[in-house]
Amino acid sequence: MDELLPRTRISRRTTLGLLGAVATGSLVTGCRETTTGGSIGITGDYSLTDWVADRGDRYLVAHRGVGDVFPEHSMESYDAAVGWGVQAMEVSVGITADSVLVCMHDTTLDRTTNLTGNLRAVKYSQLEKGWLQIPRLGPQWAEKKLKVPLFEDVLRKYGGRVILAIEAKDERAYAPMMAMVAKYRLESAVMIKTYFKSKLIADVKSLGLGVFAYFTTPDEMTPETIQSVAAQLSPRTDAIVVPNAGPGGYLDASLVEAAVATGIPIWPYPLHRRADVAHYTALGMQGSVTSNLGYILGKTEQVTTDQWAAGAVVSGELTRDPYDDRFAVSWGRGGSIGLAAKGTQHFLTLGNLGPITSPVYSVEFQASFAALPADPLASLSLAFGHEDDSYYENRIGTVSGYHAILQANGELGLWAHRSGQRPGVKLAVRKSAPVFAGEWMRFRLDVTPTTLTWSRLDHPTKVTVEDKTYRGGYLHLGRASTDGSLALRGLKVTRTP
């Protein structure tokens, strides 16, 4: 189908007839309110046709609302995404034992709520007694006890205001989900999200609806499978959505090239960093599916201190993978956090404090090894002078800048690193006082247009070098060891114009 969606709505009768849905008097399964007298008017008049015409060549789609920083698929997460200006967002739809449609990614309750078991095995009255609970987002959210939203409430609030890419996560939810879309006459304001192998694609296209067809892993993608999906889709109404994963972190360039060559809009997901969007945009992908919308759009405030005392992850403060619990920070007393991922380095990208553009600035923080790394040469590390917010850890060899370190043996050092070269370049080192488990240490980095000074303040020691290769940009702070536990607090950046 190569024509734009018509601005007139696809008839409710046609939609329900093709779906084999229930009779007119009971269109929607699981509504809190019954509706009589036919379909309900839409809540807005923004259509897929409008979005395609408006969105230009760089646009974002919200993933689970703003899933990096709000409990995913909560009304609050959707509110934040729309508040930051998104024009399209994906919405996962599940169904309870008594056929109530709710917004939830998983078919089980364990990962995102304080309940356990299968969603389809609990009644909505039971689900209402629980709340959303995602520990990696911080203890603040547990106190709020946000509820799993009803799909109907999302349609009522955002239908016809933004494009909703909706997916039934349980096959039992599909027909009532589509019936509810028809009830609110939102057929022209939704895309149907489905797996690239799904037989639903043909059915959805026969209804004249947009399709959001996704791959889950790079292993599923070949030029042949990409072309097979593309042949079913239209560049005017549909999209192929591909995983942000592969060698070096990004999807292999040959797969990107094959996807872009189809002419169908290609959207990588889920993107967390500004650098991720820039990478794929440069390769010809116009849209991106992101779970950190406010930060990537630059709508969030650039701060000068950490917000760890609030007990919640904030936009732009990024672990290696913000969706992966293995890299989650722990939350301590007195505004402290802990970095203790097992078997891997553990860093935070401090995008909320950057990019730094001042020619003169300083960074101060406190750190403590709750458990020392086994290797006395392992270190805490502050990386700086990075031109973008690409993921950093020591000796990864993919970004350029500096790192200021304190090794477990007490050696203070300034080093440089360059993209394409794993070993760093030693600039200056000096022995400081021994490091003891549980001892809080204080540090300060001072940057001028020509010099770098790295100081340990609790036992006064410093190293200074003249070097002006890299300036400004983004900061990363963490534990450059695969064991031990590092605590941080009191982070502050002072900029001088």
Side-chain angles (χ1 to χ4, degrees):
M1 176 178 173
D2 292 324
E3 297 180 358
L4 289 174
L5 288 175
R7 289 183 184 273
T8 55
R9 305 289 168 179
I10 299 166
S11 75
R12 170 172 163 272
R13 178 176 298 174
T14 299
T15 301
L16 295 182
L18 288 167
L19 292 170
V22 294
T24 304
S26 56
L27 284 174
V28 182
T29 307
C31 293
R32 290 187 299 174
E33 300 174 7
T34 58
T35 303
T36 59
S39 59
I40 295 173
I42 59 173
T43 60
D45 61 2
Y46 192 64
S47 70
L48 182 56
T49 300
D50 297 325
W51 183 47
V52 172
D54 293 345
R55 68 193 184 190
D57 60 1
R58 292 192 68 177
Y59 53 91
L60 301 178
V61 177
H63 193 249
R64 306 182 188 179
V66 190
D68 280 359
V69 290
F70 284 78
E72 61 183 59
H73 294 301
S74 64
M75 193 63 81
E76 288 75 6
S77 190
Y78 297 145
D79 289 346
V82 175
W84 279 323
V86 77
Q87 293 178 296
M89 60 185 180
E90 59 95 41
V91 176
S92 296
V93 182
I95 192 165
T96 63
D98 50 346
S99 299
V100 176
L101 296 177
V102 296
C103 295
M104 180 177 287
H105 178 274
D106 298 359
T107 56
T108 58
L109 302 169
D110 304 61
R111 184 179 65 86
T112 60
T113 78
N114 68 321
L115 306 173
T116 60
N118 293 321
L119 176 61
R120 61 158 53 189
V122 301
K123 292 183 177 181
Y124 182 67
S125 59
Q126 297 171 281
L127 187 63
E128 272 194 307
K129 294 176 182 177
W131 56 86
L132 292 167
Q133 184 168 287
I134 305 176
R136 63 176 169 79
L137 295 178
Q140 178 193 108
W141 291 110
E143 297 171 6
K144 294 182 182 295
K145 297 184 177 180
L146 304 184
K147 299 297 183 178
V148 175
L150 289 162
F151 178 56
E152 185 171 23
D153 285 347
V154 173
L155 291 186
R156 283 173 167 168
K157 188 166 189 178
Y158 291 119
R161 289 182 56 195
V162 298
I163 302 307
L164 302 177
I166 57 176
E167 179 183 19
K169 289 295 185 177
D170 183 325
E171 63 182 13
R172 288 198 309 123
Y174 181 71
M177 177 185 79
M178 296 295 284
M180 189 175 285
V181 168
K183 170 186 173 180
Y184 285 94
R185 299 174 58 195
L186 288 166
E187 295 92 334
S188 295
V190 300
M191 299 178 75
I192 304 305
K193 179 183 173 187
T194 191
Y195 186 49
F196 80 100
K197 290 183 178 180
S198 173
K199 295 179 180 179
L200 287 177
I201 294 177
D203 293 338
V204 171
K205 293 308 297 177
S206 73
L207 296 174
L209 304 183
V211 172
F212 177 123
Y214 63 88
F215 291 85
T216 56
T217 70
D219 292 341
E220 298 168 336
M221 298 181 65
T222 66
E224 292 74 24
T225 57
I226 294 167
Q227 188 57 50
S228 175
V229 176
Q232 304 173 67
L233 305 178
S234 165
R236 308 296 295 276
T237 56
D238 308 320
I240 297 174
V241 184
V242 299
N244 173 32
Y250 289 130
L251 188 63
D252 185 85
S254 64
L255 295 176
V256 172
E257 183 178 1
V260 171
T262 66
I264 304 297
I266 309 298
W267 304 342
Y269 82 100
L271 304 190
H272 307 282
R273 301 168 184 269
R274 293 166 178 168
D276 295 344
V277 175
H279 171 84
Y280 287 110
T281 300
L283 295 176
M285 295 186 176
Q286 297 179 344
S288 299
V289 182
T290 175
S291 47
N292 215 329
L293 188 86
Y295 166 68
I296 288 177
L297 284 176
K299 297 289 185 71
T300 52
E301 180 185 3
Q302 185 181 110
V303 298
T304 58
T305 62
D306 68 71
Q307 285 85 56
W308 298 329
V313 171
V314 297
S315 291
E317 191 173 78
L318 302 164
T319 60
R320 178 175 174 176
D321 182 349
Y323 275 177
D324 193 329
D325 290 344
R326 292 176 301 167
F327 304 107
V329 303
S330 59
W331 303 86
R333 297 179 179 177
S336 67
I337 60 167
L339 302 177
K342 297 184 183 300
T344 183
Q345 297 183 40
H346 201 171
F347 276 85
L348 280 179
T349 299
L350 302 169
N352 55 323
L353 277 73
I356 295 171
T357 57
S358 303
V360 178
Y361 68 92
S362 64
V363 182
E364 297 179 69
F365 66 94
Q366 298 177 44
S368 174
F369 280 104
L372 287 168
D375 182 357
L377 301 182
S379 64
L380 68 84
S381 182
L382 169 65
F384 60 103
H386 288 199
E387 66 179 3
D388 62 31
D389 63 349
S390 298
Y391 170 66
Y392 169 84
E393 66 180 38
N394 279 14
R395 298 179 67 86
I396 197 172
T398 60
V399 290
S400 298
Y402 303 106
H403 50 288
I405 69 171
L406 177 73
Q407 295 179 168
N409 64 7
E411 186 169 278
L412 202 68
L414 276 170
W415 294 68
H417 48 270
R418 184 181 295 275
S419 178
Q421 300 177 9
R422 290 183 179 274
V425 177
K426 184 188 298 184
L427 301 178
V429 298
R430 177 170 292 181
K431 191 71 174 178
S432 74
V435 177
F436 297 100
E439 173 191 25
W440 280 100
M441 302 169 285
R442 294 185 295 120
F443 299 93
R444 179 182 173 101
L445 171 72
D446 291 288
V447 178
T448 75
T450 58
T451 63
L452 311 170
T453 300
W454 171 231
S455 305
R456 180 176 174 183
L457 304 178
D458 55 302
H459 291 284
T461 312
K462 69 179 181 179
V463 291
T464 300
V465 298
E466 292 188 5
D467 192 297
K468 53 184 181 181
T469 308
Y470 311 109
R471 284 299 181 274
Y474 291 84
L475 305 171
H476 312 261
L477 182 59
R479 189 202 69 194
S481 64
T482 58
D483 65 343
S485 178
L486 179 67
L488 301 167
R489 69 185 184 192
L491 176 64
K492 179 175 72 171
V493 174
T494 302
R495 301 171 175 86
T496 302

